[in-house]
Amino acid sequence: QSVLTQPPSASGTAGQRVTISCSGSSSNIGSNNLYWYRQLPGTAPKLLIFGNNQRPSGVPDRFSGSKSGTSASLAISGLRPEDEADYYCATWDDSRSSPVFGGGTKLTVL
Amino acid sequence: QVQLVESGGGLVRPGGSLRLSCAASGFTFSDYYINWIRQAPGRGLEWVSYISSNGYTIYYADSVRGRFTTSRDNAKNSLFLQMNSLTAEDAATYYCARSLYCGSDCYSPGMDVWGTGTTVTVSS
């Protein structure tokens, strides 16, 4: 059971906008920055969003992050077939004194 | 280019030991906190450990504390994970991942550089 809760799956058609949620508590999302990673099949994770809503260099602005209270979301607009991947949220947990990950969301592009 | 490359994975019997390595290149290794992250087959990401840039501060997940030891050699741009008393639950792909730089004595759970991973199989 992951500390952060994500839906196990999400889907959308090409060109659509999809959102993936990440729910936590006051000891993690509620008081710390949120990060999002994308993991393409058979590859290592890649940082998509840091500091709740900042994109590393090279990440297109189709990807955006937001946070409110103890929940966060990743939005992907203009969905493309290559966006089909697993997406993970992560943050620091004050109670555990450790980083924690969500269980991951498998995004399917129909 | 900025790169992390893990090695040392393989097949080990339950109760056995294994030492993983992570070789860094393309950046000033001694400036960064580094993490070990693992992913069991078909499962999500699990943080295992992190080590401060100078190696003096090390933290472990509860699931591995007392069995795993993280260390680094900044002169050789290398990170290590000594794994003892391995069980089937430790079978996973192990990644080393660089934490975002946030200061000389600051840990960020954001990880901007990942290796390709090395696979540990625990079976008799």
Side-chain angles (χ1 to χ4, degrees):
Chain A
Q1 192 80 355
S2 301
V3 174
L4 305 180
T5 301
Q6 296 180 237
S9 63
S11 63
T13 57
Q16 257 189 336
R17 181 179 187 271
V18 297
T19 61
I20 297 171
S21 63
C22 176
S23 176
S25 68
S26 58
S27 68
N28 43 65
I29 294 179
S31 50
N32 294 287
N33 285 330
L34 205 286
Y35 304 83
W36 287 95
Y37 300 91
R38 177 170 78 171
Q39 186 176 33
L40 298 171
T43 70
K46 172 187 173 182
L47 183 66
L48 270 185
I49 298 288
F50 68 96
N52 302 322
N53 54 19
Q54 305 299 302
R55 288 184 306 277
S57 174
V59 175
D61 59 7
R62 300 189 299 110
F63 296 90
S64 62
S66 64
K67 190 183 90 166
S68 178
T70 59
S71 294
S73 63
L74 172 71
I76 308 172
S77 60
L79 202 59
R80 300 179 178 183
E82 57 263 37
D83 294 331
E84 195 161 281
D86 294 324
Y87 292 81
Y88 294 91
C89 58
T91 188
W92 179 262
D93 190 290
D94 294 331
S95 297
R96 295 167 180 261
S97 294
S98 74
V100 289
F101 286 93
T105 298
K106 184 175 184 61
L107 176 64
T108 301
V109 180
L110 303 170
Chain B
Q1 72 277 29
V2 175
Q3 195 173 1
L4 294 170
V5 179
E6 303 90 341
S7 61
L11 173 63
V12 61
R13 295 187 185 281
S17 298
L18 209 56
R19 189 189 195 216
L20 306 184
S21 299
C22 170
S25 59
F27 64 99
T28 304
F29 180 69
S30 58
D31 281 348
Y32 290 86
Y33 281 60
I34 308 290
N35 303 265
W36 285 104
I37 307 294
R38 70 183 180 183
Q39 186 172 34
R43 305 292 295 274
L45 302 173
E46 179 187 14
W47 171 78
V48 172
S49 174
Y50 75 74
I51 185 168
S52 62
S53 54
N54 59 16
Y56 292 162
T57 301
I58 307 170
Y59 283 93
Y60 300 96
D62 289 345
S63 57
V64 306
R65 188 177 296 113
R67 300 186 299 121
F68 288 14
T69 302
T70 295
S71 61
R72 65 191 294 164
D73 183 341
N74 284 345
K76 296 183 178 180
N77 293 334
S78 295
L79 174 77
F80 307 100
L81 182 66
Q82 177 66 43
M83 305 186 295
N84 299 330
S85 303
L86 287 162
T87 72
E89 284 68 45
D90 298 314
T93 295
Y94 285 72
Y95 298 98
C96 56
R98 186 182 82 172
S99 275
L100 288 166
Y101 184 79
C102 58
S104 61
D105 192 25
C106 167
Y107 173 75
S108 169
M111 300 167 205
D112 64 343
V113 180
W114 293 67
T116 55
T118 187
T119 300
V120 173
T121 303
V122 183
S123 175
S124 54

